[in-house]
Amino acid sequence: MGKNDFLTPKAIANRIKAKGLQKLRWYCQMCQKQCRDENGFKCHCMSEGHQRQMQVFGDNPDRFVDAYSQEFEDSFLEHIKRSHRFSRVSANVVYNEYITDRHHIHMNATQWLTLTEFVKYLGRTGKCKVEETPKGWFMTYIDRDPEIVLKEKLKSKRHKAELAEEERHEKMLLEQAERAAKQAKLGETSQQKVMPSELQRDGSADGKVAFSLGMVGPSAAKPGASQASASSHLPEGSECPKPKPKPKPSIFAQDEDDEKMSASQNSRDKDGKGAKNEG
Ligand SMILES: [Zn+2]
């Protein structure tokens, strides 16, 4: 049985005494050793093992501090994520819960000298929402879980789309209102203006009428003009007598003949009547 046997009375006594939370400042991070009191810690610092560890630390202190800082931050965030994922909690509460693990990374081995400094750092780097209140610092874990991040993204996207839609709708309403106001103003001021413009339109219509009269005028005024030339200006399908192939003199002659014919018919009718009367 060795000196540090697990079941020796001294080892058992030490374990009993070591139960529960011990003074943080009597913890040696490099050796991961918790001492019960100042005297114990002094003794530990004199030990050969600790001296060796301190030499290792002294060779590259920044690397150790960085590593401890990273580990401290990770385990602290892991704890807040597990215990207070969706709630706003006091930084002190989270810290007191975090240090109940005897072998947690102690803050005095990290780059942060105080909890406030660490909390501010978390807020600055966007890992937590932090705020100072009269009751101390409060923090809310910002979830970086891919699924939650995706959900948040979708939510914000939908929210943005809704906002844009609302904005567009409001803009449209505003534009409509403006247009209505403009029209109302125009109606007030241009009631007199509208009249002249209508009169002007009437004038142009008169001109059109004059033009159409001009079209009709010449053919009507000059009976001597040929019917063929007049009919060529008229639209298709309009009822108008077809030009006769014979030259004008013959037309007039025909007309005269027609008159003569009708006259002779009349005379014949008269003759017929006269004959009937006679008969
Ligand atoms: Zn040590």
Side-chain angles (χ1 to χ4, degrees), residues 28-33 44-45 47 49-51 53-54:
C28 175
Q29 186 66 68
M30 281 302 284
C31 310
Q32 296 191 2
K33 179 165 175 66
H44 169 72
C45 288
S47 71
H50 179 79
Q51 293 292 331
Q53 287 292 331
M54 284 320 282

Side-chain angles (χ1 to χ4, degrees), residues 26 33 35-46:
W26 292 327
K33 179 165 175 66
C35 303
R36 279 198 300 278
D37 49 30
E38 197 176 356
N39 192 41
F41 191 66
K42 266 183 190 166
C43 286
H44 169 72
C45 288
M46 307 279 269

Side-chain angles (χ1 to χ4, degrees), residues 58-71:
D59 285 345
N60 203 341
D62 287 349
R63 205 192 78 200
F64 279 98
V65 170
D66 285 352
Y68 285 137
S69 300
Q70 189 61 53
E71 216 174 311

